[in-house]
Amino acid sequence: MIIIITGASHTGKTLLAQRMLEKYNYPYLSIDHLKMGLIRSGNTNLTPEDDDALTGYLWPIVREIVKTAIENRQNLIVEGCYIPFCWRRDFDEQYLPSIRFICLAMTEEYIEDHFEEIIKHESEIESRLVAADCTVSDLKKDNCNMIVGFQRAGEQVVLIDSDYKKVFSELLT
C-alpha cells in the first residue's frame, strides 16, 4: 500500500506520516527532504520558495518512486505539499488500487479560532530551522487553494473544522 499525504501548510502532514509509520511500520518519504537534498546538492537552481516550479520538478521523481514501490509490492508513505491536483492522471489503472490519497486542509473558521495553537505545534515532528513567517491570511489562502484545487480534480479533502485530534484518530483507523 502507498499512502500519499498532502495538504496545506501547518495541517499536520508530517505528524500524520509519523503516526502512520508508528502504527503500520511503513517507511515514509518526506518530499521536503528530497527537495532540500536536491537543492543543497546543487542538482537544481530552484529555491525552497519556488513552490509551483518545485511541484513540476519533484512530482515526476516522486511519481516514479511510487510506481516502483507498487511494482515491488512495498509499502510506503509519501508526505508533502508538492503533489499536483491532477496526480491520478499520471497512474495507469493498475497502480491506483494500491494508492490511498489523503489531503488535509483546515477551514477558515478553524484557522481563525485556533491560529495560536496551530503555530505552537508547527515543529511538532520536525524542527523548523527558521520560524515560519505564517499569518492567518496566508494559512487561509493556502488551505483554500488546496481545497478548491483538489476538489475540482475530484479528490476528497479531509477538512479540519473543529476537533483536530478526532480527525487524526479517524485517519489512523
Side-chain angles (χ1 to χ4, degrees), residues 53-112:
L54 281 164
T55 298
Y57 180 71
L58 295 168
W59 177 243
I61 298 166
V62 172
R63 176 192 69 219
E64 297 308 316
I65 290 171
V66 168
K67 287 179 182 178
T68 301
I70 292 170
E71 291 162 358
N72 289 318
R73 292 188 280 286
Q74 295 172 305
N75 299 314
L76 180 64
I77 300 164
V78 177
E79 170 269 319
C81 62
Y82 303 104
I83 308 293
F85 299 134
C86 58
W87 69 272
R88 284 186 191 269
R89 291 186 203 159
D90 292 334
F91 293 96
D92 295 335
E93 288 301 316
Q94 70 187 37
Y95 295 103
L96 290 172
S98 299
I99 300 173
R100 177 181 177 197
F101 177 77
I102 301 170
C103 177
L104 300 172
M106 297 178 280
T107 63
E108 287 191 4
E109 294 79 18
Y110 184 85
I111 294 167
E112 288 173 6

Side-chain angles (χ1 to χ4, degrees), residues 9-10 115 119 122 128 130-139:
S9 177
H10 289 76
F115 181 72
I119 297 303
E122 71 182 356
R128 295 177 190 250
V130 178
D133 195 17
C134 185
T135 66
V136 170
S137 176
D138 291 338
L139 275 184

